[in-house]
Amino acid sequence: AIKQRMAPSSFLTPIIYPPPHIYHIYPHHIPMTYRHKVAPMAILLPLLFLLSLTAYADGFAFIPNWGTDGLWLSAPSPDSTSQVWFRRQYHFSQRPANAHVIIATTGYAELYVNGRNASRHVLTPYRSNDDGQPISATYDVTRLINSDTVTLAIWYCPTAHSVDRQQIAVAFSGHMPDGTAFSFPSDNTWLCRLAPASLNGHGGETIDGRQNRTTWKYHNGWSPALWTACCATAPNISSTPWRQQCAAYTVNKISSYNYFDLQGDTIVYDFDKGFVGWVRVTFRDAVRGTHVWIGNDEYICNGTTDEQACAKFTLTGNRKVMVHGDRRFRPEHIVNIEAINISIKQLGGWQPFY
């Protein structure tokens, strides 16, 4: 097969160089001297398609042309298992009239705006495999901005076995009430710190509930002393194919277990039907620092009256789930356990490929 030669990736790529399956004429079927005559005819259909899309719809994604200003961000010493928190605060003279955020990532990235989750989906952006290639997602965050201060916070997780200094790149843009446009590509003013969670060697996550505070996502209540400047690098995506996110993971159903078996200090929960997703456990009066294993996940209790343990970036198939802990764990610490069934939702659209 003859490999198609593509221009450097940018937001104009699908218009100037439309994917061959859109217009059903493949480049290697056309003599080189005539290919430039086919391009004008090929522009119309993808252009009309793009114009018909709702602007900045959550889930429609492409890798934009970050130009020379937008930088890729990472933790100072990235590794293949650590999850990372990123944040940046913006101050305006008044509340913006509208705003949008584009995040490109080589892993998974969950966006919070002023402490609220910006997406209807989970495990974003959708990946059909853990290839570590950059994928971007676009969010309309207008509804989440209620003052002249905007805090963007991102929870990042690498794909399996990925060590990359290009973890996330962000573009924050919009308009003020008078129509003035603003645009802030990611730069070295962003801060980061390791999140209290990481991938483990069993296909799940290790979550430290003692450090899992929600204040890191908000304007106030976070401690700057725990944060450090990001490692910022210039974009290098000229040889990287861009991909559109054509699907998304979404919570399909939350169900309780059918019955359980108690075997010493180990509990086996049977959910009757198999599911792909997460197991969420609610603990009460657990001793701070207690280690509990929930299937492939490990959780370290924070010792508050009620606390919940649930994975965020890994999916596993389950029907029976084994829960056990260290010497401080007691079965009566568990007051509820639920199966969160995750399914794939097709978003439509088309996807260029090489």
Side-chain angles (χ1 to χ4, degrees):
I2 299 177
K3 186 175 181 180
Q4 183 180 354
R5 182 177 179 272
M6 298 295 289
S9 185
S10 79
F11 70 96
L12 289 178
T13 301
I15 299 177
I16 300 175
Y17 299 90
H21 64 283
I22 292 297
Y23 52 91
H24 304 293
I25 299 177
Y26 292 84
H28 59 276
H29 293 165
I30 306 171
M32 183 65 70
T33 55
Y34 294 101
R35 291 186 192 179
H36 69 281
K37 298 180 180 181
V38 177
M41 296 184 294
I43 289 176
L44 182 60
L45 183 56
L47 179 59
L48 292 175
F49 173 78
L50 291 175
L51 292 175
S52 67
L53 293 170
T54 302
Y56 304 104
D58 179 12
F60 175 66
F62 51 84
I63 291 183
N65 183 7
W66 300 102
T68 58
D69 295 326
L71 301 178
W72 280 90
L73 308 177
S74 75
S77 300
D79 59 59
S80 61
T81 61
S82 295
Q83 298 175 22
V84 185
W85 286 344
F86 296 89
R87 65 170 282 142
R88 174 69 159 84
Q89 201 166 73
Y90 299 90
H91 300 279
F92 298 89
S93 59
Q94 56 184 317
R95 177 182 177 272
N98 61 70
H100 306 88
V101 176
I102 302 175
I103 301 178
T105 180
T106 54
Y108 298 99
E110 191 168 83
L111 171 66
Y112 298 89
V113 179
N114 297 339
R116 297 169 61 188
N117 196 323
S119 179
R120 304 183 302 270
H121 306 128
V122 297
L123 203 62
T124 54
Y126 169 80
R127 294 179 177 275
S128 57
N129 55 65
D130 290 336
D131 56 11
Q133 291 295 313
I135 302 178
S136 67
T138 308
Y139 304 88
D140 183 341
V141 299
T142 304
R143 71 189 190 282
L144 305 177
I145 298 176
N146 52 18
S147 70
D148 57 2
T149 300
V150 179
T151 299
L152 301 184
I154 298 171
W155 192 325
Y156 166 85
C157 179
T159 54
H161 311 298
S162 172
V163 180
D164 203 323
R165 286 196 174 275
Q166 295 189 150
Q167 292 182 333
I168 64 167
V170 186
F172 175 42
S173 61
H175 294 86
M176 301 304 292
D178 63 0
T180 304
F182 64 86
S183 179
F184 300 103
S186 47
D187 55 25
N188 57 10
T189 60
W190 279 70
L191 300 177
C192 69
R193 60 170 291 188
L194 293 181
S198 61
L199 303 179
N200 61 35
H202 306 290
E205 298 175 52
T206 297
I207 306 161
D208 190 343
R210 297 170 299 181
Q211 304 177 43
N212 194 5
R213 301 289 185 264
T214 60
T215 53
W216 73 277
K217 300 179 287 188
Y218 294 91
H219 300 327
N220 305 311
W222 63 289
S223 176
L226 300 176
W227 295 72
T228 186
C230 295
C231 178
T233 57
N236 181 22
I237 59 174
S238 60
S239 61
T240 303
W242 67 270
R243 289 192 294 171
Q244 176 188 340
Q245 180 180 287
C246 295
Y249 286 112
T250 185
V251 175
N252 181 43
K253 183 181 179 181
I254 300 177
S255 57
S256 184
Y257 62 92
N258 188 31
Y259 66 90
F260 69 89
D261 288 329
L262 183 60
Q263 304 170 3
D265 288 336
T266 299
I267 315 170
V268 179
Y269 291 91
D270 192 311
F271 288 91
D272 190 30
K273 295 182 179 180
F275 67 95
V276 175
W278 304 322
V279 177
R280 182 169 62 192
V281 180
T282 303
F283 298 95
R284 178 171 295 168
D285 297 329
V287 178
R288 181 179 176 82
T290 299
H291 287 247
V292 183
W293 287 266
I294 308 161
N296 294 332
D297 300 320
E298 179 184 3
Y299 180 73
I300 305 174
C301 298
N302 62 35
T304 56
T305 302
D306 284 344
E307 55 185 300
Q308 286 189 325
C310 186
K312 183 182 289 287
F313 295 108
T314 55
L315 298 178
T316 56
N318 298 285
R319 187 177 74 84
K320 292 184 177 182
V321 177
M322 181 180 297
V323 180
H324 60 99
D326 61 17
R327 59 183 178 81
R328 293 172 293 183
F329 170 71
R330 299 291 181 270
E332 54 268 25
H333 291 158
I334 298 177
V335 296
N336 193 26
I337 182 168
E338 301 165 295
I340 302 179
N341 193 318
I342 306 297
S343 61
I344 299 174
K345 175 184 177 182
Q346 297 298 322
L347 300 177
W350 49 269
Q351 176 178 339
F353 53 92
Y354 286 63

